[in-house]
Amino acid sequence: MRSLLPILGFALAALALALGGVALVVGQDLRFIVLDNPWWLLTAIIPLLALAVRAGLTPRPPTMQFSRTRSARSLGPGLAARLAHLPDGMRLAAALLLAFALARPQSSRLTDRVEHEGIDIAIALDLSESMEADDLFPNRLEAAKEVIDQFIARRPHDRIGMVAFGAHASTVSPLTVDHGVLRQLVRRLQLGSLDGSKTAIGAGLGLALNRLKESDAATQVLVLLTDGVHNAEGIDPDSAAAEAKERGIAVYTVLIGRHASGQSVDPGRLERIAGLTGGYAYTAEDQQALVTTFQDLLDKLERSTIAGEHVRAELFFLFLWPALLLLLADVLLRSTRLRRFP
């Protein structure tokens, strides 16, 4: 049983070194660490019992007799002999650290309430045939997709949904915070994916309002981007605007492209929709005006605070990594300098 003492000594030294590193990283006293699953600490008993059983079953090493005491003393233990129990100690320390990691240590000092600012936004994009006009580069649709992509990227905390409309309306994405997927969907939008022979602004507004029914945010916004006039059957844009007003949803309209006299365009209706709902009506005749429009829209949109749950910073990895390093060092020592032979 005497062999247990050096093993425990090395284990305690390695454990103290690892815990010192944890305290240094956390930047606080270890007493501020709490355990989410403390019962896992009982697994630390297993390596201790295994070590005790092993020590009890290990036979005493053979002895050598010397005729002179001076000769025996001159053959004192070397460095390898003094460190013979180091791998066992490191293995025991690693097992204890793993037990502590399983108990899910967390920092009580770092407990905080997660909050972020955001609103829910629905975007309705026109996919009618006139969006192929090249007065914006390379055409109206591609220019619109580019500014919408940048808009989404600059609203990281908002839930954003999107619908597209031509002769009828279709959902591109429900409200989501997965902006990576949403931006991919925006980039894939192409003319011809919907019947673009007409412009159903009312249907686009109506479907976008339906997407916002999924929202419980205090602030909800609808952004309508079109280059034409409502000329399809179905929902009347003014009726959709009245519903938006009743629900407290601000509608921001963007009329894109240069329109000569006689072309099918109704800026007055877009201004009426925006004014009724407390939004704003923009006109973007060129690329720079479109970029400026969305920049101004970003500045106008307020942010509402959304509170999350209380959380604690997870610290298990601060015990897991030292354990893995100790096990690696154990393997290296056993296969090199402190290798044992039968």
Side-chain angles (χ1 to χ4, degrees), residues 17 21 82 135 150 168 211 230-231 241 252 267 273 290 299:
L17 184 63
R82 295 178 186 276
D135 49 354
Q150 296 173 7
H168 61 275
R211 293 277 68 86
H230 175 75
N231 56 12
Y252 293 83
I273 291 172
L290 185 59
D299 295 338

Side-chain angles (χ1 to χ4, degrees), residues 1 36 46 48 50 53 68 73 92 120 158 166 168 173-174 206 210 232 240 244 263 274 279 299 325 327 331 336 339:
M1 297 294 288
D36 190 55
I46 299 174
L48 292 173
V53 171
R68 298 174 61 184
R73 289 176 180 173
L92 176 59
D120 285 351
D158 296 330
H168 61 275
S173 170
N210 284 340
Q263 285 185 312
D299 295 338
L325 290 175
L327 289 174
V331 171
T336 55
R339 185 176 182 182

Side-chain angles (χ1 to χ4, degrees), residues 311-342:
V311 296
R312 291 192 177 107
E314 295 283 353
L315 302 178
F316 70 91
F317 60 92
L318 295 178
F319 298 87
L320 178 61
W321 282 111
L324 295 178
L325 290 175
L326 285 173
L327 289 174
L328 178 61
D330 169 44
V331 171
L332 290 175
L333 288 175
R334 290 179 188 273
S335 59
T336 55
R337 188 68 179 85
L338 300 182
R339 185 176 182 182
R340 296 179 180 179
F341 296 93

Side-chain angles (χ1 to χ4, degrees), residues 206 209-210 213 238-249 276-277:
L209 289 172
N210 284 340
K213 285 183 179 179
D238 292 305
S239 298
E243 180 185 346
K245 177 185 178 182
E246 183 179 348
R247 291 168 52 186
I249 299 173
L276 179 66
T277 60

Side-chain angles (χ1 to χ4, degrees), residues 276-290:
L276 179 66
T277 60
Y280 192 86
Y282 296 94
T283 300
E285 295 187 345
D286 54 39
Q287 203 91 10
Q288 184 56 48
L290 185 59

